[in-house]
Amino acid sequence: MTTNTKPRGLEGIVAAETRLSHVDGQNGILIVAGYSIEDLAAHATFEEVAHLLWRGHLPNASELKDLSSQMAEQRELLPVTLEILRSAAKAPPIDALRMACATLSLGLKDPNAVTHEADFAAAIRLTACFPTIVAAHARFAKGEKPIAPRRDLSLAANFLYMVLGREPDAVAAKALDSYWVTVMDHGMNASTFTARVIASTRSDLVSSVTGALGALKGPLHGGAPGPVLDMLRDIKTSANAEPWIRNELAQGRRIMGFGHRVYKVRDPRAEVLSRVAEKMQGAKLENRELFELARQVEQTALRVLNELKPGRNLRTNVEFYTALVLQAVGLEPTQFVAMFACGRVAGWCAHVIEQHEQDHLIRPQSEYTGPIDLKTNR
Ligand code: COA
């Protein structure tokens, strides 16, 4: 029998050099292209941070105007994409997004090129279209017709307009924008790694991002905030938090919104989003009560996890407060992972651009553990 000393799941292995983001898990710090996530989430818009990742610097006024208008012009979907979304009306939004994403190469001038020019064109197209896709799918799911995108609104405000069918609330649009900035990039997470592996074969940007969507979907990555909201709704009162959590752990289940492969302290994005969620709570009593409950459940979960899983350093992760922000904005839990994708897509595109620049195939090895002496005897 061989003893496997290899890190499980590539833990701790450096798979790429990047100028895009740095995750310091011991100290709870996230740097995006030189800036702290707290700074960017408070002071920069989604379009500005996308420019930062794609072009290496925050845009000046004319660069921002250019990028914003290019993204606004690219929001409309082709009939074929709408047809797929109509057919996928009953599918989970993240699956519909994956199917529709694959069609976006049809609108590109040179979909298979891996040049800088082709990558930027594809990055703008995908980032502009993702919210339109999620909104159109949400309308089809309710048996309604999609609402055409508007060019005069920011990406986040236009998304809310297309989903809710009315003038977007400025506070909600700002909250969604800050959420997308907060989740835009995060080191070598599973979906980003997937995108880079695909790009490293000199495959195109649309293929790379379509693969990344498949990786994001799983509950161990982007699929947690829906279950976080289900958990809070199931717990109902703070008195019920402790027995509920103990019962989950006794059944061998994980508490969603806690634990992280890299962060051994509180995820800094949880802090940013808890502040965003707090600002959203004033309007509705239901929101305020949910926020209070979440705070209490968080404290209880941290205490019980520390007691029953000592030494694992299981702390609050980004998904916990994501659930509160997205529900306060008016979205359904089934849409949460697709919302995550609408923010992360700009980061995936930046990584594909960077991987294409580096142009080196990612191809690790495996350790064979099966037999070597079988015979077919045929
Ligand atoms: N609830 C309960 N136990 C948890 C846990 C959680 N949320 N997260 C990890 N653990 C436990 C595991 O059961 C394991 O316990 P054991 O040593 O007794 O077997 C130990 O902590 C280590 O878990 P492991 O799966 O090896 O850690 P990881 O680094 O691979 O896991 C996550 C990282 C995110 C996949 C994991 O923490 C998790 O599943 N969290 C819940 C889902 C979630 O919130 N995902 C969003 C991530 S941003």
Side-chain angles (χ1 to χ4, degrees), residues 66-343:
D66 272 3
L67 180 63
S68 302
S69 61
Q70 285 178 53
M71 281 170 75
E73 280 161 21
Q74 291 285 323
R75 283 175 190 166
E76 269 168 48
L77 302 178
L78 292 175
V80 63
T81 309
L82 285 167
E83 202 39 59
I84 282 177
L85 292 171
R86 189 199 314 275
S87 306
K90 298 264 180 297
I94 187 68
D95 288 332
L97 178 58
R98 190 197 66 244
M99 295 176 214
C101 176
T103 68
L104 295 179
S105 56
L106 290 169
L108 296 172
K109 200 166 101 211
D110 208 351
N112 287 315
V114 292
T115 59
H116 253 84
E117 199 192 355
D119 278 350
F120 284 119
I124 290 172
R125 177 83 180 140
L126 265 61
T127 306
C129 282
F130 267 34
T132 318
I133 290 172
V134 180
H137 181 257
R139 305 285 298 185
F140 281 132
K142 286 197 284 183
E144 294 166 355
K145 273 168 83 178
I147 295 174
R150 273 172 51 178
R151 293 185 180 190
D152 59 324
L153 298 171
S154 71
L155 202 68
N158 177 56
F159 170 76
L160 292 176
Y161 163 72
M162 292 185 295
V163 170
L164 305 171
R166 57 179 136 81
E167 278 295 314
D169 172 76
V171 177
K174 174 68 193 134
L176 185 59
D177 192 272
S178 302
Y179 165 67
W180 281 343
V181 168
T182 307
V183 299
M184 198 182 289
D185 199 41
H186 198 244
M188 201 47 54
N189 59 85
S191 56
T192 298
F193 184 54
T194 305
R196 288 193 79 127
V197 169
I198 298 173
S200 83
T201 69
R202 293 190 190 160
S203 181
D204 62 286
L205 189 142
V206 175
S207 300
S208 306
V209 169
T210 306
L213 280 167
L216 183 75
K217 173 182 166 178
L220 300 190
H221 189 0
V228 167
L229 200 58
D230 295 340
M231 169 177 78
L232 294 175
R233 286 181 173 156
D234 216 24
I235 289 178
K236 288 193 186 76
T237 65
S238 57
N240 199 25
E242 185 154 349
W244 193 96
I245 290 164
R246 284 189 185 278
N247 182 52
E248 285 296 288
L249 293 172
Q251 306 290 325
R253 290 194 282 265
R254 293 181 177 210
I255 310 302
M256 291 292 131
F258 295 88
H260 198 274
R261 174 60 67 82
V262 183
Y263 292 119
K264 299 306 163 201
V265 294
R266 198 176 198 236
D267 183 335
R269 299 166 302 169
E271 191 55 44
V272 170
L273 293 180
S274 108
R275 269 185 251 134
V276 173
E278 200 167 8
K279 281 193 200 141
M280 298 283 305
Q281 304 313 310
K284 269 169 78 186
L285 182 63
E286 189 203 356
N287 287 351
R288 223 168 37 236
E289 284 176 350
L290 193 68
F291 185 72
E292 276 315 310
L293 176 66
R295 281 265 202 249
Q296 284 154 3
V297 169
E298 182 185 13
Q299 292 317 314
T300 308
L302 291 173
R303 178 166 51 75
V304 175
L305 284 168
N306 192 38
E307 179 195 323
L308 299 180
K309 297 273 175 187
R312 282 13 165 259
N313 298 317
L314 301 172
R315 303 288 152 76
T316 321
N317 66 42
V318 63
E319 308 290 24
F320 192 78
Y321 285 100
T322 290
L324 293 195
V325 173
L326 295 183
Q327 77 80 31
V329 159
L331 300 170
E332 297 296 323
T334 52
Q335 296 173 312
F336 289 179
V337 60
M339 278 294 95
F340 189 158
C342 290

